[in-house]
Amino acid sequence: MHELAPLIARLQRHRARRNPLRRRLKRAAVAALLRDSRQGAEVLVVERAHRPGDPWSGDMALPGGRIEAVDEASASRAACRETAEEIGVAIDRSLGIGRLCDQLTLDHRRRRPMVISPFVYRWPRDATITTNAEIADWTWVPLAWLDEPANRGRFTWRVRGVPKSMPCYDCGDGRRIWGLTLLMLDELRRAGPGGRG
């Protein structure tokens, strides 16, 4: 089981890799929100709304989005703003625990590299989730559930018609955690008991 207090302590010492080109590339930021439960630490995962033309349509992900001018080029501000917009939960740096490694992906709008910066926050006490049109659903995922080999599998994803076998966590009902979200949650999970942090 991943106890929240030791996990927070490990995350505060965690040295996340930052992409040296992050300030020159398009950027996005996401928030990994943690809470304590009877099953130990849990992370909030959202299901993106199904929308034609959206490359992330229906994906299981962490709340977040692109860094905009209003964020003053601050990735953590963008993660907080996007979380408030998408799920109606106000977070700020006072709830911040740490950050995870930057992930490099492709900006689907411009077909250029984009950096995604993940930040970890405590769940605000008495917060209530109210989703906007970008979010279809949400769930709490125990980090201990991610440790179970039975919940890890593979699925076929097509890249320009070519099938590619990808690792995933199977959430049931055809929902999967995969891609960058899987990498981020694996890094978060490794910060727990027996992990390399």
Side-chain angles (χ1 to χ4, degrees), residues 105-178:
T105 188
L106 192 64
D107 180 339
H108 292 279
R109 292 181 190 168
R110 296 172 184 85
R111 308 299 294 172
R112 292 185 182 157
M114 181 170 75
V115 173
I116 300 181
S117 299
F119 295 86
V120 186
Y121 298 89
R122 288 181 186 88
W123 180 250
R125 189 172 292 163
D126 302 324
T128 303
I129 295 175
T130 306
T131 60
N132 71 3
E134 296 177 54
I135 305 300
D137 201 3
W138 54 270
T139 188
W140 286 100
V141 177
L143 297 189
W145 184 86
L146 298 173
D147 287 338
E148 292 296 324
N151 298 325
R152 184 93 173 217
R154 300 190 78 81
F155 78 108
T156 302
W157 183 54
R158 296 194 171 272
V159 182
R160 296 185 183 128
V162 178
K164 187 173 181 181
S165 178
M166 301 291 289
C168 70
Y169 291 106
D170 189 347
C171 300
D173 299 325
R175 300 183 308 165
R176 299 177 188 92
I177 298 170
W178 67 288

Side-chain angles (χ1 to χ4, degrees), residues 34-96:
L34 297 179
R35 74 172 187 183
D36 213 357
S37 76
R38 290 180 189 167
Q39 297 173 297
E42 296 179 319
V43 62
L44 182 74
V45 178
V46 298
E47 179 183 354
R48 301 226 161 263
H50 296 263
R51 297 188 299 184
D54 180 354
W56 295 285
S57 176
D59 277 1
M60 301 296 286
L62 301 175
R66 294 173 188 274
I67 298 175
E68 306 289 353
V70 69
D71 302 313
E72 299 175 3
S74 166
S76 62
R77 272 197 201 113
C80 294
R81 176 185 54 76
E82 286 282 343
T83 297
E85 289 176 9
E86 292 182 348
I87 63 170
V89 173
I91 56 173
D92 58 31
R93 290 184 179 187
S94 71
L95 296 169

